[in-house]
Amino acid sequence: LRLRMAALLIRRTSSGIWTSFVQSRSSNLPSSDSEKPFQLPAVGPIDGQPNFVPNETYDTLHFSGCGFMLPFHLGVVAALRQHQIRFRCVTAISGGVMAALAHLGGGHLELAVQQSLDLRQERATIPGSIRAFFRCYRAYFRCFRSEQLRAALPIHTLCGKLFVRMCRWSNGSLQPIAISDFESESELESAFMSAAYIPAATSILPPMFREEVFFDAGLLGDHALESWADPTVWPPPPPGVQQCKRMCVLTSEPSQDQLNAAAAENVAVVFGI
């Protein structure tokens, strides 16, 4: 009975978030038999033009950091899934990596919505915890990336498709890095933990990835957005495929640096909230 009640709560919660997102952000959504593309709010070189066409596959999607506002990103994933809009690869930083994995089908989308709400109630999320946050986050992640999903989408199929962006201290400054060559499920989990590490905020003691300390790429601030606008940082497209990138940034008032990043050639930034 408890499991049934929990499942019902997840369905109701996620359905409400998805419905709210679709109604507020995509007023021009086509019917299922329509060939017309629909628009999400965006700026950039294709501003004013249809951003996505149902049943199409694009090159790269990026999710920004989002903290406890992860349900917004998950709403984007749900809207894209509803219209069968796919991306060859997905990049993300911080909490956005959960949405990235869900978009690729490697994480439980509905469960992630409920986890986002539950995590805010966990005592382990109080800033300054020693390691409690990551113990909690690991437990959540292992449910999100369940045994069934591991079997359906093995780790080797995520290589070259899922890019976890972090940063590390090198030559006197934080440098961005993207990880996609995961060798095991344990390594994928560790990458997700390190992508959310903010010293003294999420945890005092850092999680380790490949015996190194990595940090939440959000610590790079606007410099991270500038680097994302650099085409050399994005995964290269396969031969004969035009590079086409999308960013999903959680903000209501884009900064000038974000607008500059959006102005990069062939990049459209989807601003939300």
Side-chain angles (χ1 to χ4, degrees):
L1 178 59
R2 289 182 178 179
L3 289 176
R4 289 179 180 176
M5 291 178 66
L8 179 61
L9 177 60
I10 291 173
R11 286 196 295 270
R12 286 181 176 177
T13 303
S14 58
S15 176
I17 292 173
W18 297 351
T19 302
S20 175
F21 170 79
V22 172
Q23 291 178 344
S24 63
R25 299 298 175 190
S26 307
S27 58
N28 295 324
L29 287 176
S31 59
S32 58
D33 59 348
S34 174
E35 296 298 327
K36 293 182 180 180
F38 72 90
Q39 289 182 274
L40 292 174
V43 296
I46 61 171
D47 190 20
Q49 300 297 322
N51 292 331
F52 304 102
V53 178
N55 303 310
E56 288 289 338
T57 298
Y58 297 90
D59 190 65
T60 306
L61 172 67
H62 174 80
F63 287 100
S64 70
C66 55
F68 291 118
M69 294 301 293
L70 178 59
F72 169 82
H73 281 344
L74 298 174
V76 172
V77 174
L80 295 175
R81 181 178 294 183
Q82 177 184 354
H83 293 274
Q84 300 182 36
I85 298 171
R86 296 164 293 273
F87 287 83
R88 183 182 63 87
C89 51
V90 188
T91 76
I93 69 169
S94 193
V97 295
M98 299 286 282
L101 184 55
H103 178 73
L104 292 172
H108 197 300
L109 179 59
E110 289 188 340
L111 179 60
V113 174
Q114 185 60 42
Q115 286 182 333
S116 301
L117 303 176
D118 290 344
L119 189 60
R120 298 186 65 176
Q121 309 303 320
E122 297 282 358
R123 295 183 62 185
T125 59
I126 297 175
S129 69
I130 304 299
R131 272 186 175 153
F133 173 79
F134 286 111
R135 281 199 299 268
C136 181
Y137 188 13
R138 284 182 189 277
Y140 275 48
F141 177 79
R142 290 168 185 174
C143 294
F144 170 70
R145 174 79 173 151
S146 64
E147 290 292 341
Q148 293 85 348
L149 289 173
R150 293 183 184 190
L153 199 69
I155 190 68
H156 71 273
T157 63
L158 294 174
C159 295
K161 293 183 178 180
L162 174 65
F163 290 79
V164 178
R165 297 192 177 280
M166 304 178 279
C167 59
R168 61 182 172 186
W169 191 259
S170 177
N171 298 323
S173 64
L174 289 173
Q175 301 294 328
I177 185 172
I179 303 295
S180 185
D181 56 335
F182 308 106
E183 297 182 357
S184 66
E185 290 288 345
S186 175
E187 204 171 69
L188 175 66
E189 179 181 310
S190 295
F192 271 52
M193 299 304 109
S194 292
Y197 175 55
I198 301 176
T202 52
S203 175
I204 294 178
L205 297 179
M208 303 296 288
F209 176 73
R210 295 178 179 173
E211 300 184 352
E212 289 188 60
V213 176
F214 290 83
F215 304 91
D216 188 320
L219 295 175
L220 289 170
D222 292 331
H223 297 292
L225 283 170
E226 292 172 357
S227 66
W228 296 334
D230 182 351
T232 63
V233 178
W234 292 81
V241 176
Q242 182 184 13
Q243 181 87 313
C244 186
K245 306 183 286 288
R246 299 289 189 273
M247 277 187 216
C248 183
V249 180
L250 193 62
T251 180
S252 57
E253 298 181 0
S255 68
Q256 186 58 50
D257 286 315
Q258 290 171 333
L259 293 174
N260 291 340
E265 182 179 359
N266 210 19
V267 177
V269 179
V270 180
F271 292 114
I273 211 173

